[in-house]
Amino acid sequence: MSLIVQKFGGTSVGSIERIEQVADKVSRFRAEGHDVVVVVSAMSGETNRLIALAHQIQDRPVPREMDVLVSTGEQVTTALLSMALNKRGVKAKSYNGSQVRILTDDAHTKARIRDIDDERLHADLDKGYVVVVAGFQGVDEHGNITTLGRGGSDTTAVALAAALKADECQIYTDVDGVYTTDPRMVDGARRLDRITFEEMLEMASMGSKVLQIRAVEFAGKYNVPLRVLHSFEEGPGTLIALEDSSQMETPTIAGIAFNRDEAKLTVVGVPDMPGIAHRILGPIGEANIEVDVIVQNVEHDNTTDFTFTVSRGDLARAEEVLKKVAEDINAEEVRSDNKIAKVSIVGVGMRSHAGVASQAFAALAEVGINIQMITTSEIKISVIIEEKFLELAVRSLHSSFGLSKEPQNESPA
Ligand code: ADP
Ligand code: ASP
Ligand code: MG
């Protein structure tokens, strides 16, 4: 008998029919003798609906009130799933984040979990209850409701699994595992049997929303065995785990991630002198705007161009800040472009294989795609390109690295 944490995402609890199906699934695990903690998301579309309601009143509502609002979605599904379990003769109890006491910091709408009180959950499990916990939410030390950022129910599940020392954390969703790239974009994308925490973290950070970034961080830190599975189809799913040292050869590339949420700002004609990057990016940081890729051009006639990317939602504010900076440093002008996207290839095998970058650039050149910016880490290469070429870029890289179901051009490795 083992303790399993199971998380069901929005589409998996998107209707009463689906909630009943989830209840059947949970009941089967319970009947096999497992202790089960279930984490649920809000019904699909509900969080967006709530956010849209708020925006009918204010453009930028106070984050504390947003959290009170959006946390309600998950409370609905916990109660409905508990009822569905009770109907099947399975003892179940629902809790919201503050009742469990999922303690977070006070960063409303993007709070981080600090501590989980597992006493109440263990007491219920010992009495034979299935415990159903609302995902995505917690409470700060002053009793204010907080939420963990979009997709945060994944993090609730992994954090609970770590706190309860669960044997496995199962993330049930609308795909049957983690794929080489988003299967909604590339038909030939292939399910991976396993992927390392490190690779999954890069994939999630670079835009693969199949798991929330923090969930993967948590799983890696506490070595929680994590598996992504389809809610309603049987299958092995994808195991996210430490690197498998028994494998003789790791594939060079695990997958390709992409992100449309990118916008580019260029300060043109910046005087080339020490401290200039700080004078440009300092005020951006003070405005709480996160910067992603940065490129500074080679100096020409004592001036240079300084380019960086931010989230599209931050573009207008960043532009405002930069116009002031440009005046202060005597730069020529500020240009912006929000029709860009980022494509990243990820794989721990890159560490030991030279030539991955040149293969990627060749694949993009072959289909006539211009690379605007490049950034790399030990296990990742990202490029910024025009958004209209995104799909073509992902498909070309996917086939160039032999990731498709029926590999055409096997990577030379
Ligand atoms: P849930 O509501 O269950 O949390 P999400 O929509 O957050 O589900 O995550 C599942 C979706 O992630 C899939 O439908 C798929 O389109 C997308 N996705 C993006 N990249 C990948 C990938 N590499 N592998 C699998 N799914 C991916
Ligand atoms: N309901 C929240 C969202 O839509 C959290 C989640 O589903 O994980 O982002
Ligand atoms: Mg999700």
Side-chain angles (χ1 to χ4, degrees):
M1 183 169 118
S2 57
L3 169 56
I4 307 172
V5 175
Q6 303 186 316
K7 178 252 169 178
F8 292 89
T11 36
S12 313
V13 292
S15 64
I16 293 297
E17 203 183 8
R18 293 223 164 135
I19 291 175
E20 299 264 21
Q21 277 178 277
V22 168
D24 284 337
K25 186 166 198 111
V26 173
S27 307
R28 283 199 296 275
F29 275 91
R30 190 69 199 111
E32 284 168 17
H34 300 293
D35 282 339
V36 187
V37 173
V38 185
V39 173
V40 281
S41 290
M43 295 169 97
S44 58
E46 177 64 4
T47 309
N48 288 344
R49 187 185 74 87
L50 294 167
I51 292 171
L53 285 180
H55 287 158
Q56 284 180 40
I57 294 178
Q58 265 188 316
D59 279 346
R60 276 202 234 161
V62 177
R64 181 191 183 278
E65 302 313 319
M66 277 310 267
D67 279 350
V68 174
L69 177 69
V70 296
S71 61
T72 59
E74 270 70 12
Q75 194 167 330
V76 170
T77 42
T78 54
L80 292 174
L81 179 60
S82 293
M83 291 172 195
L85 287 164
N86 287 335
K87 185 166 93 176
R88 286 161 177 76
V90 176
K91 294 202 296 181
K93 258 192 200 178
S94 62
Y95 290 109
N96 65 28
S98 88
Q99 287 174 310
V100 174
R101 203 145 195 272
I102 298 180
L103 183 70
T104 71
D105 61 18
D106 60 3
H108 285 288
T109 75
K110 46 176 183 289
R112 283 180 177 268
I113 296 176
R114 281 190 178 154
D115 186 43
I116 293 184
D117 188 351
D118 57 4
E119 223 171 274
R120 198 167 191 173
L121 304 186
H122 272 305
D124 284 337
L125 290 171
D126 290 347
K127 287 188 209 134
Y129 282 95
V130 168
V131 185
V132 185
V133 179
F136 176 54
Q137 57 183 264
V139 65
D140 74 7
E141 57 183 345
H142 303 295
N144 297 299
I145 294 172
T146 54
T147 62
L148 311 177
R150 297 306 303 267
S153 301
D154 295 335
T155 302
T156 306
V158 177
L160 277 171
L164 294 165
K165 301 188 176 58
D167 296 282
E168 189 164 279
C169 181
Q170 302 173 340
I171 306 285
Y172 287 97
T173 183
D174 58 1
V175 271
D176 63 349
V178 177
Y179 275 65
T180 47
T181 192
D182 190 341
R184 284 180 210 265
M185 183 180 277
V186 178
D187 276 346
R190 187 167 41 84
R191 183 183 59 77
L192 299 164
D193 283 326
R194 61 186 291 152
I195 183 170
T196 69
F197 288 123
E198 234 183 326
E199 287 168 329
M200 193 62 237
L201 189 60
E202 284 284 15
M203 290 280 281
S205 307
M206 293 304 115
S208 295
K209 298 209 165 67
V210 60
L211 284 174
Q212 204 202 26
I213 303 168
R214 297 226 181 112
V216 187
E217 256 171 20
F218 242 104
K221 187 166 168 194
Y222 296 101
N223 200 8
V224 176
L226 183 61
R227 198 179 282 277
V228 174
L229 301 131
H230 198 290
S231 296
F232 307 118
E233 290 168 14
E234 292 304 313
T238 300
L239 179 69
I240 295 113
L242 295 170
E243 217 167 317
D244 185 357
S245 54
S246 68
Q247 268 196 339
M248 297 287 282
E249 183 88 54
T250 2
T252 318
I253 304 299
I256 296 168
F258 54 86
N259 190 1
R260 294 176 197 270
D261 184 21
E262 295 273 345
K264 187 174 76 167
L265 289 142
T266 303
V267 193
V268 183
V270 176
D272 192 28
M273 58 187 189
I276 213 73
H278 174 64
R279 285 186 67 184
I280 294 173
L281 294 181
I284 294 287
E286 277 157 31
N288 238 331
I289 297 170
E290 260 181 62
V291 171
D292 186 13
V293 185
I294 305 173
V295 166
Q296 184 174 339
N297 283 359
V298 188
E299 172 266 328
H300 182 71
D301 288 341
N302 284 332
T303 64
T304 176
D305 295 344
F306 193 93
T307 307
F308 60 93
T309 66
V310 297
S311 292
R312 285 188 190 175
D314 287 333
L315 180 62
R317 260 183 334 123
E319 228 177 329
E320 228 172 85
V321 173
L322 271 196
K323 289 212 164 123
K324 167 114 202 5
V325 172
E327 257 174 48
D328 291 350
I329 61 174
N330 279 325
E332 265 168 53
E333 62 168 327
V334 176
R335 285 189 204 143
S336 68
D337 180 0
N338 66 1
K339 301 248 170 347
I340 58 163
K342 184 168 69 176
V343 184
S344 308
I345 53 179
V346 174
V348 289
M350 258 185 232
R351 285 195 188 114
S352 50
H353 288 270
V356 174
S358 68
Q359 186 178 340
F361 302 155
L364 295 175
E366 215 164 279
V367 287
I369 296 176
N370 185 37
I371 299 170
Q372 302 184 4
M373 301 166 89
I374 301 168
T375 163
T376 63
S377 78
E378 218 185 324
I379 65 161
K380 172 208 80 188
I381 297 162
S382 301
V383 295
I384 298 282
I385 57 167
E386 243 186 289
E387 187 186 7
K388 67 177 181 197
F389 294 127
L390 178 61
E391 204 165 319
L392 179 62
V394 175
R395 286 176 192 284
S396 307
L397 292 167
H398 198 265
S399 103
S400 167
F401 285 98
L403 296 175
S404 305
K405 272 181 208 147
E406 288 128 327
Q408 299 121 18
N409 307 315
E410 197 58 66
S411 147

